Amino acid sequence: MSSHHHDHDVSQVHNQEILELNPKIQTHATFKPTAVTTKTKRHWKQNDGMLTGCNLKKDFADIKHTTLTEKGALAEANRCLKCADAPCQKSCPTQLDIKSFIGAIANKNYYGAAKAIFSDNPLGLTCGMVCPTSDLCVGGCNLTHSEEGAINIGGLQQFATEIFKKMGIPQIRDPSLPALDELPESYQSKIALLGCGPASISCATFLARLGYSDITIFEKNEFHGGLSSLEIPQFRLPYDVVDFEVQLMKDLGVKVEYGKEVGKDGLTVESIHNKGYEAVFVGLGMPSPKIDKIFEGFTIQQGFYTSKDFLPKVSAASKPGMCACKGGDANGACEDSSSSTPSLPSLHGRVIVLGAGDTAFDCATSAFRCGASRVYVCFRRGITDMRAVPEEADLAKEEKCEFMPFMLPKQVITRDGKIVAVEFYKTEKGDDDVYKVDEDQFVRIKADFVISAFGSEIGSLAPALSPLTLTKYGYADIDNMTLQSKNVPWLFSGGDLIGNGTTVEATNDGKTASWAIHRYLQSLYGLTTSPTPQLPNFFTPIDLVDISIDFAGLHFPNPFGLASATPCTSAAMIRRAFEAGWGFAVTKTFSLDKDLVTNVSPRIVRGQTSGHKFGPGQGSFLNIELISEKTAAYWCKAVGELKRDFPSQIIIASIMCGFNKDDWTTLAKMAEASGADALELNLSCPHGMGERGMGLACGQNPDLVLQISQWVRAAIKIPFFAKLTPNVTEVKEIAKAAHQGGATGVTAINTVSGLMGLRGDATAWPSVGKEQRTTYGGVSGNAVRPIALRAVSSIARTLPGYPIMATGGIDSADSCVQFLQCGAGVVQICSSIQNQDFTVIQDYITGLKAYLYLQSRPDLKNWDMQSPPRDPIPEIYRGKHLPKFGEYQEERNKIKIEANQKADLLANGSNNNQRSPPAANKIPNVLDQVGRAVSRIGEYNRLNNQEQVVALVNEELCVNCGKCYMTCNDSGYQAIKFDKNTHIPTITDDCTGCTLCVSVCPIIDCITMVPRTIPYIPQRGIPPTTEVSSSAH
């Protein structure tokens, strides 16, 4: 299509170079030979850039596919259905409340998520990193069979707990429990735990939460963590993560004695008990490797390692902070104790790893990082019968480990005292599913090293564990329900020693044993315990923050309440909400009997404001539901009952009448007599009631609002609020009328009148009856939040200090804070409960407490609420202009490989888990937040047009999608260049700071707005006829 213009037309298209890659309407089929595409696609290839094989040498960076950025975590959390009776939770050994912690992440309440995780799992971060989730929680996800697939639960767990780790906040005991000095003597019982691994850390943590004050862990190494530290590689589980969780345990007073090895220097289970320890928990791993007889006698010098030799040496040389002296032996973990720094095992050439469990694959992937050029994983079973979880096996496959199934070692071939090859028999799986050896088939594989990972056993340690006995399978003989020894009542065990080999199973063993130990110790002193285990939750100083507020003459325990809507359909629902922790509730609006209503159906439908989104998390709802179908007598009786049983919670009765003084007087007095703390006058229902001369029919007229407020003020003494409609030209005028009429305050806003959408056959949804009729309904949810924030701030600016209850799109602590800052004192919530359930209140409470607490920490001043600042760009890539595809990715890999070889793997090994000092500033309260933003909200003419900003792109975060480029071209100022080879966007001096690019960018903080360094000169098109003032808008 030709474009007709003249050279001097103002409509002439300029910037043709910039617009070269802008999308255009396709007028013909695209023609390009395959040979061209074959060559071109290599340039744009994005999915094969990971380092593999020998290129991984000394690369111990995080490689977990589950690791998430904040953007990824928010997107994944919002995908979660937060199911009822969630199967994912039932599949978790520690029974994490998964839907709750994911819901908190979706609302950017990372502390609330971490609190939920650590309450059930003291090693929540470790398990988030290493749990075999595909076989546990993820295996039970209800989205497994959907197109999108199961939720990345482990990644979300890791994300939330890592954010909490960065906060540097200590653990405390449940503040509602008796202080340590108020507990009976039984809580001073001496408790010993052997081995500072996951089982013992978990057990000690729960015992300390219960109030036991004399707990000691005996650990053979000079560091903690057990096999988590020794045998799980740094690229899967960094040492500072283990240290962080141990520090949380120590916050509760648990002691760890290092260098205390069971079986040495007379230290045995019996000797510990004889020293006055009334309960002993054995949380040792299996210390001795199982070795195939053909490898007996082979040494490291000959090229033979067991996993018990190899992985500890890898850890000592690659985990900063673990080997404290940086030259110490770490109890055999370092390969060369004479060197100044522990060194990695020096591998080269071909490495055979024997076994197909998780440990075998840790050995295989670590072998590449120690210098192997090829790694063969040889195992007796077929690939479909591998014991390793998919997460481990898939990673090894991606890193180019070669799988060799159906292989059983036959003999080792040596030359000059070194291993040079291994011969294997072939195995076959019979029809009976039993693997048999076929001695007629064998194969020889060249090898420079062999790493055996055939499992482990208790070995020579068994006598030191007496009176703990072992089963015929070599595991501790215990009661599987209590983990108590069958021989003596004071002895307990868990983890590897009882056959539970995963970290999360060991963690749950410690949790299970803690309650059994508690019951046993209390029984020694003649005390009883709850028949149902009641282990305390995780608490920190954040949980001590007071979020109550004195508002409109009433004391609210927290600012979160139920709006007069579907969550308050019945008194029983309000009762359940109060039990969950809601601070107040506004009853469903009721009327005099003469005005009773009957609803139509259908009447509540999902919105379309978020596109084609199905399921929970709807951005809006539309309803044509009327006021309560229940009588005033029912509600008045209900209010009295609820106030009797929940005296600390605030109950507000919502009432509605037509413009009739007697009706308002009668109903207001009736509601006051019921015991309600306050009333809410519904002057704003946008559908149905207005046609009866009620609701909106009254609330849109300031004179009627004034008169009704005067009537009610004359009739009652308790506070009352006028609920305002947004369906007016200026809501503040209605608020002024309510204020003048004597209303204690106002509620802003009720739903926005709207028509949600039409279907292809010209019918709406909801459509009622055979004629499929509809009406304008009330739109609610996040879609109306901007309208509600505007209304609340406008009223606050007009009537400073006037009490405002806010409602309209509050779905998190974050959004609550926004309304508080705009002038509201408390908030009412409906749509987010419709999306989920009453338990969201705990998310809101912990989120608000965290927000207030973090404000008192000067060291966290750069955080955006609970979001930490972005990590800096790696120096090795700075200024290189290298996107992450094609030949550019190859160049990035070369830079990384070179940097890895020069890197000191043990640098920055200092303790990163130091506790921050107590809050340096006073922790603000809820009232301090009310109206904080109001002074910054005002008329346009007060905005400064001299302090301009421009966009800045972070190339390292950029995914090269060009969304910024397209929106700038077709909706902005053509101020972004888009390189045709690198697809890196570059901001030009034509940028006017409009911020559209930031708004459409899919990556958090990839584009930021920074101060403009050159004068901003507007492009007027045609020069003005008069001089424009520099302050003109």
Side-chain angles (χ1 to χ4, degrees):
M1 182 181 296
S2 61
S3 178
H4 303 285
H5 60 80
H6 299 282
D7 290 344
H8 299 292
D9 287 356
V10 296
S11 61
Q12 181 180 352
V13 177
H14 300 281
N15 303 320
Q16 291 288 357
E17 182 181 354
I18 280 182
L19 294 172
E20 180 184 357
L21 299 181
N22 205 52
K24 300 173 179 63
I25 299 296
Q26 184 171 309
T27 58
H28 300 86
T30 304
F31 178 85
K32 184 173 289 187
T34 300
V36 176
T37 303
T38 300
K39 181 178 179 180
T40 303
K41 73 176 183 180
R42 288 197 294 269
H43 174 81
W44 302 107
K45 192 74 169 172
Q46 303 227 21
N47 60 355
D48 65 352
M50 68 178 291
L51 295 181
T52 60
C54 58
N55 288 329
L56 287 165
K57 187 175 182 179
K58 290 186 67 178
D59 187 349
F60 286 85
D62 182 1
I63 44 75
K64 297 183 294 295
H65 295 311
T66 54
T67 300
L68 295 168
T69 63
E70 184 172 28
K71 172 188 178 293
L74 292 172
E76 191 71 358
N78 278 292
R79 255 194 347 111
C80 177
L81 301 178
K82 292 92 179 176
C83 306
D85 198 31
C88 55
Q89 178 174 347
K90 296 174 181 294
S91 303
C92 172
T94 59
Q95 300 295 296
L96 286 187
D97 188 351
I98 294 170
K99 76 176 181 65
S100 292
F101 88 67
I102 293 181
I105 293 173
N107 285 331
K108 299 187 73 171
N109 177 16
Y110 308 138
Y111 171 70
K115 177 179 172 65
I117 292 164
F118 285 122
S119 288
D120 273 308
N121 184 342
L123 285 86
L125 178 49
T126 289
C127 290
M129 290 183 164
V130 304
C131 253
T133 55
S134 62
D135 190 46
L136 299 172
C137 52
V138 172
C141 178
N142 282 331
L143 283 174
T144 297
H145 299 296
S146 68
E147 297 90 335
E148 308 95 324
I151 297 297
N152 178 5
I153 298 172
L156 290 170
Q157 181 173 329
Q158 175 185 339
F159 173 79
T161 47
E162 279 193 306
I163 295 293
F164 173 72
K165 176 177 177 288
K166 293 179 180 180
M167 294 179 182
I169 300 172
Q171 179 174 195
I172 62 173
R173 288 183 65 238
D174 183 344
S176 69
L177 295 177
L180 294 181
D181 58 5
E182 297 174 0
L183 289 168
E185 181 185 359
S186 56
Y187 285 87
Q188 298 170 27
S189 301
K190 293 181 68 175
I191 304 170
L193 302 97
L194 306 185
C196 193
S200 294
I201 295 169
S202 174
C203 186
T205 297
F206 280 110
L207 288 168
R209 288 180 188 175
L210 284 165
Y212 290 94
S213 55
D214 195 349
I215 305 170
T216 304
I217 299 178
F218 295 92
E219 168 56 47
K220 75 172 183 178
N221 295 300
E222 297 300 330
F223 52 87
H224 36 245
L227 300 187
S228 293
S229 297
L230 276 171
E231 296 191 17
I232 301 180
Q234 172 78 1
F235 51 84
R236 289 186 58 224
L237 181 61
Y239 180 72
D240 75 325
V241 167
V242 176
D243 180 67
F244 160 68
E245 291 164 338
V246 171
Q247 296 306 324
L248 287 178
M249 176 191 74
K250 290 182 175 180
D251 289 337
L252 301 177
V254 176
K255 302 178 289 292
V256 182
E257 292 192 16
Y258 300 96
K260 302 290 186 179
E261 183 173 356
V262 177
K264 287 189 176 181
D265 301 324
L267 186 67
T268 66
V269 168
E270 195 73 66
S271 70
I272 290 172
H273 180 56
N274 292 337
K275 289 180 180 179
Y277 289 94
E278 297 178 70
V280 178
F281 176 82
V282 183
L284 303 171
M286 294 290 197
S288 301
K290 292 180 180 178
I291 302 176
D292 191 291
K293 62 182 181 180
I294 71 168
F295 294 103
E296 290 178 357
F298 280 93
T299 65
I300 292 175
Q301 288 70 30
Q302 293 174 289
F304 177 74
Y305 288 87
T306 69
S307 61
K308 295 289 183 183
D309 301 321
F310 180 68
L311 290 174
K313 294 180 185 298
V314 174
S315 293
S318 62
K319 292 194 171 188
M322 189 180 99
C323 213
C325 64
K326 238 191 162 184
D329 185 82
N331 287 321
C334 302
E335 183 167 355
D336 183 2
S337 59
S338 64
S339 67
S340 60
T341 302
S343 58
L344 293 170
S346 181
L347 304 185
H348 60 269
R350 296 174 171 87
V351 175
I352 290 176
V353 177
L354 303 173
D358 296 339
T359 300
F361 285 109
D362 281 340
C363 291
T365 50
S366 295
F368 277 136
R369 290 161 174 82
C370 294
S373 58
R374 299 187 72 172
V375 175
Y376 304 94
V377 183
C378 303
F379 45 97
R380 179 176 61 90
R381 303 184 181 199
I383 288 179
T384 56
D385 289 336
M386 285 192 306
R387 293 178 56 198
V389 296
E391 293 92 329
E392 289 266 20
D394 290 347
L395 173 63
K397 181 180 178 182
E398 289 177 6
E399 293 193 347
K400 306 304 183 186
C401 292
E402 299 180 48
F403 293 9
M404 304 194 72
F406 304 108
M407 306 280 275
L408 184 70
K410 175 178 177 287
Q411 67 173 328
V412 184
I413 310 300
T414 62
R415 186 177 299 124
D416 298 328
K418 300 282 188 178
I419 293 175
V420 295
V422 178
E423 287 187 353
F424 293 87
Y425 288 119
K426 295 293 289 183
T427 63
E428 291 184 354
K429 186 177 183 180
D431 294 338
D432 56 358
D433 288 340
V434 175
Y435 283 89
K436 300 178 178 64
V437 178
D438 182 357
E439 296 188 1
D440 292 330
Q441 296 188 72
F442 59 90
V443 64
R444 176 181 290 190
I445 301 176
K446 289 183 178 180
D448 297 287
F449 296 90
V450 173
I451 303 173
S452 174
F454 280 145
S456 53
E457 57 191 4
I458 196 66
S460 60
L461 187 62
L465 302 183
S466 177
L468 187 67
T469 57
L470 304 180
T471 68
K472 63 180 180 180
Y473 301 106
Y475 297 122
D477 193 12
I478 46 92
D479 182 322
N480 287 327
M481 300 305 293
T482 63
L483 308 191
Q484 192 169 23
S485 169
K486 293 181 179 178
N487 287 348
V488 289
W490 50 266
L491 187 55
F492 304 79
S493 185
D496 277 344
L497 201 55
I498 68 170
N500 290 333
T502 65
T503 301
V504 69
E505 289 172 331
T507 301
N508 195 57
D509 287 346
K511 180 181 183 181
T512 302
S514 70
W515 185 256
I517 292 171
H518 171 58
R519 293 187 64 185
Y520 167 71
L521 292 174
Q522 295 306 304
S523 71
L524 293 181
Y525 291 81
L527 301 174
T528 59
T529 57
S530 167
T532 303
Q534 295 181 349
L535 294 172
N537 285 332
F538 177 79
F539 287 87
T540 75
I542 288 178
D543 299 296
L544 302 178
V545 174
D546 181 10
I547 58 169
S548 65
I549 181 172
D550 293 321
F551 171 76
L554 302 171
H555 182 74
F556 289 72
N558 64 63
F560 302 103
L562 305 183
S564 176
T566 51
C568 293
T569 295
S570 70
M573 293 170 70
I574 296 176
R575 177 178 295 277
R576 290 193 289 112
F578 281 170
E579 290 170 348
W582 290 86
F584 71 98
V586 186
T587 69
K588 197 86 157 71
T589 302
F590 59 92
S591 65
L592 296 171
D593 288 355
K594 68 185 183 69
D595 295 318
L596 283 172
V597 302
T598 300
N599 278 303
V600 299
S601 63
R603 59 181 178 273
I604 305 172
V605 301
R606 69 179 183 90
Q608 298 177 11
T609 55
S610 300
H612 302 291
K613 179 176 176 58
F614 299 90
Q618 292 296 323
S620 64
F621 291 92
L622 178 137
N623 84 88
I624 53 173
E625 181 163 290
L626 303 178
I627 62 175
S628 177
E629 295 177 326
K630 292 179 170 58
T631 63
Y634 167 88
W635 280 113
C636 288
K637 186 175 189 301
V639 167
E641 293 171 356
L642 291 168
K643 197 62 193 173
R644 175 196 67 203
D645 296 340
F646 300 94
S648 298
Q649 267 101 335
I650 299 298
I651 303 175
I652 300 173
S654 176
I655 60 175
M656 179 188 285
C657 301
F659 189 69
N660 183 294
K661 179 180 181 180
D662 291 341
D663 288 354
W664 279 108
T665 300
T666 299
L667 193 55
K669 287 185 174 181
M670 185 186 304
E672 181 183 43
S674 73
D677 294 292
L679 305 186
E680 182 177 87
L681 315 185
N682 188 336
L683 306 175
S684 47
C685 182
H687 47 268
M689 305 310 296
E691 299 165 24
R692 302 175 177 216
M694 306 166 76
L696 194 69
C698 299
Q700 289 181 319
N701 187 322
D703 294 333
L704 300 187
V705 172
L706 170 66
Q707 188 65 70
I708 292 170
S709 298
Q710 290 175 334
W711 293 339
V712 174
R713 182 72 288 163
I716 62 172
K717 294 183 173 58
I718 61 174
F720 73 92
F721 297 80
K723 188 169 187 178
L724 308 183
T725 176
N727 303 298
V728 291
T729 302
E730 182 50 76
V731 70
K732 68 183 181 184
E733 299 301 325
I734 310 297
K736 286 165 63 177
H739 177 255
Q740 185 179 348
T744 309
V746 293
T747 300
I749 56 174
N750 208 323
T751 54
V752 177
S753 183
L755 182 67
M756 189 54 72
L758 300 171
R759 294 178 289 200
D761 61 358
T763 61
W765 182 245
S767 54
V768 179
K770 293 180 179 179
E771 295 182 350
Q772 295 189 304
R773 288 187 168 275
T774 194
T775 187
Y776 300 115
V779 179
S780 63
N782 295 357
V784 306
R785 186 188 301 157
I787 301 170
L789 286 169
R790 195 261 185 202
V792 169
S793 59
S794 176
I795 295 167
R797 292 178 61 233
T798 303
L799 299 170
Y802 192 46
I804 305 170
M805 291 198 289
T807 184
I810 298 106
D811 68 343
S812 63
D814 275 17
S815 52
C816 167
V817 167
Q818 294 176 44
F819 279 95
L820 295 175
Q821 292 172 339
C822 281
V826 297
V827 296
Q828 300 178 15
I829 296 167
C830 167
S831 292
S832 69
I833 300 173
Q834 291 181 164
N835 268 318
Q836 190 54 42
D837 57 65
F838 287 138
T839 63
V840 294
I841 182 59
Q842 291 306 314
D843 171 21
Y844 303 164
I845 287 173
T846 56
L848 181 57
K849 287 184 174 184
Y851 167 72
L852 296 173
Y853 179 87
L854 295 180
Q855 286 187 67
S856 70
R857 290 271 301 277
D859 57 316
L860 303 181
K861 64 181 180 180
N862 292 328
W863 286 46
D864 179 14
M865 302 190 82
Q866 293 191 45
S867 297
R870 176 74 61 177
D871 292 334
I873 299 174
E875 286 295 329
I876 59 174
Y877 301 129
R878 190 181 296 275
K880 296 289 196 301
H881 308 295
L882 296 172
K884 302 179 182 70
F885 57 79
E887 62 266 32
Y888 307 109
Q889 181 62 55
E890 293 175 5
E891 183 62 28
R892 292 173 68 92
N893 287 346
K894 291 178 183 177
I895 293 171
K896 184 177 182 182
I897 291 169
E898 181 179 352
N900 286 340
Q901 306 320 303
K902 298 177 181 178
D904 179 357
L905 296 178
L906 298 180
N908 304 316
S910 59
N911 187 355
N912 295 321
N913 298 310
Q914 295 287 350
R915 290 295 177 264
S916 296
N921 300 327
K922 176 180 177 292
I923 298 174
N925 57 37
V926 175
L927 189 60
D928 293 332
Q929 312 309 307
V930 176
R932 279 182 66 191
V934 171
S935 63
R936 297 186 177 94
I937 303 170
E939 295 78 15
Y940 183 87
N941 286 339
R942 295 183 62 190
L943 304 182
N944 188 332
N945 69 358
Q946 299 302 301
E947 298 176 1
Q948 298 279 351
V949 295
V950 294
L952 178 67
V953 177
N954 183 328
E955 292 183 10
E956 193 59 26
L957 296 178
C958 182
V959 295
N960 314 107
C961 64
K963 297 300 295 184
C964 56
Y965 167 74
M966 292 186 287
T967 195
C968 187
N969 284 340
D970 289 4
S971 301
Y973 298 86
Q974 301 83 55
I976 299 178
K977 292 181 179 179
F978 196 56
D979 189 277
K980 65 181 180 181
N981 293 315
T982 66
H983 279 186
I984 292 175
T986 304
I987 310 298
T988 72
D989 290 344
D990 290 333
C991 177
T992 67
C994 74
T995 325
L996 256 179
C997 55
V998 176
S999 301
V1000 302
C1001 179
I1003 305 299
I1004 298 173
D1005 292 338
C1006 178
I1007 306 178
T1008 53
M1009 304 306 293
V1010 299
R1012 189 182 185 94
T1013 58
I1014 60 176
Y1016 172 56
I1017 303 174
Q1019 298 297 316
R1020 304 293 183 186
I1022 296 176
T1025 55
T1026 59
E1027 185 175 346
V1028 180
S1029 169
S1030 63
S1031 61
H1033 296 277

